[in-house]
Amino acid sequence: QSVLTQPPSVSAAPGERVTISCSGTSSNIGSNLVAWYQQLPGTAPKLLIFDDSERPSGIPDRFSGSKSGTSATLDIAGLQTGDEADYYCGTWDSSPSAKWVFGGGTKLTVL
Amino acid sequence: QVQLQESGPGLVKPSETLSLTCDVSGFSITTGYFWGWIRQSPGRGLEWIGNMYHTGTSYFDPSFQSRVSIVTATSKNQFSLRLTSVTVADTAIYYCARHDRAMTPKHWGQGILVTVSS
């Protein structure tokens, strides 16, 4: 059981827009910065979004992040077949013990 | 550009100690940031283990706290993971990572598969 809750799967057609949610609590998302990762099959996770909505260099602006209260969202616009992957949210959790926590992951299928 | 590379045995026997090393290049671990480990069991999600600053400050997930340690070897620009009393449930791909501001694991190694089996 993950501390952060994500939908197990989402799907959309190429060119469409998809949203992946990440729900937490006041001790994690509600008070700390959120990151999002993309994991393509057989590869290490890659940072997509940090500090709730910032993109590392090289990440297309098709990927965007936002946060409101104790929930965060990853939006992917103009879906491409190469976006088919697992996506994870993560953040620092301050209570009851300080640690980093991940969501359970969301499998994105591009139909 | 910082790069991380895990190394260590790919097979460990139950009840023994899992030891992995992360070689860091392109950045000195004594310059700053936390350095840590994350694992992923086959077909499962990501599981954060813990991290450490080169001066000794460390954080661990409580589920590992009693049997995990992370140490740095600053002269070699490496840090290591030790996980004691392993079971088959510890079979996973282990990633080392540099944790940047907000403790975000930003730079990752490619991962190493460790199988626990007799």
Side-chain angles (χ1 to χ4, degrees):
Chain A
Q1 186 94 4
S2 301
V3 173
L4 305 179
T5 302
Q6 296 181 237
S9 62
V10 295
S11 61
E16 291 187 341
R17 182 187 197 93
V18 70
T19 295
I20 298 174
S21 62
C22 177
S23 178
T25 67
S26 58
S27 70
N28 44 64
I29 292 179
S31 52
N32 294 291
L33 298 168
V34 176
W36 289 90
Y37 300 87
Q38 177 193 61
Q39 187 175 32
L40 297 168
T43 69
K46 179 174 76 173
L47 183 67
L48 279 182
I49 299 289
F50 67 97
D51 289 2
D52 295 342
S53 59
E54 298 297 315
R55 284 185 305 276
S57 60
I59 301 299
D61 59 6
R62 301 189 296 109
F63 296 90
S64 62
S66 62
K67 186 175 80 177
S68 177
T70 58
S71 292
T73 299
L74 173 70
D75 283 296
I76 310 174
L79 272 176
Q80 301 174 0
T81 55
D83 296 332
E84 191 161 289
D86 294 321
Y87 292 83
Y88 294 89
C89 60
T91 188
W92 192 249
D93 194 323
S94 308
S95 176
S97 58
K99 61 185 181 293
W100 183 268
V101 292
F102 288 104
T106 298
K107 170 66 178 177
L108 168 62
T109 301
V110 182
L111 302 169
Chain B
Q1 172 76 347
V2 60
Q3 292 186 312
L4 300 92
Q5 177 70 59
E6 305 87 350
S7 63
L11 181 64
V12 181
K13 289 182 168 51
S15 80
E16 295 189 344
T17 296
L18 181 159
S19 295
L20 297 174
T21 297
C22 183
D23 284 291
V24 180
S25 58
F27 189 90
S28 171
I29 64 174
T30 60
T31 299
Y33 298 115
F34 278 75
W35 304 85
W37 295 88
I38 296 153
R39 76 179 188 182
Q40 186 171 33
S41 302
R44 303 286 297 278
L46 299 170
E47 191 173 20
W48 188 78
I49 298 172
N51 66 13
M52 182 178 186
Y53 199 73
H54 69 91
T55 55
T57 300
S58 60
Y59 297 95
F60 296 103
D61 188 287
S63 62
F64 296 99
Q65 189 116 26
S66 63
R67 57 190 189 105
V68 68
S69 61
I70 297 174
V71 297
T72 56
T74 55
S75 62
K76 298 180 181 179
N77 214 37
Q78 296 175 337
F79 62 101
S80 299
L81 171 72
R82 291 185 78 249
L83 186 65
T84 63
S85 305
V86 297
T87 70
V88 293
D90 293 310
T91 293
I93 297 172
Y94 286 77
Y95 299 98
C96 59
R98 191 183 89 176
H99 293 57
D100 283 18
R101 57 174 266 102
M103 286 293 201
T104 301
K106 184 172 184 180
H107 301 280
W108 297 58
Q110 66 184 31
I112 182 170
L113 175 62
V114 179
T115 302
V116 179
S117 175
S118 55

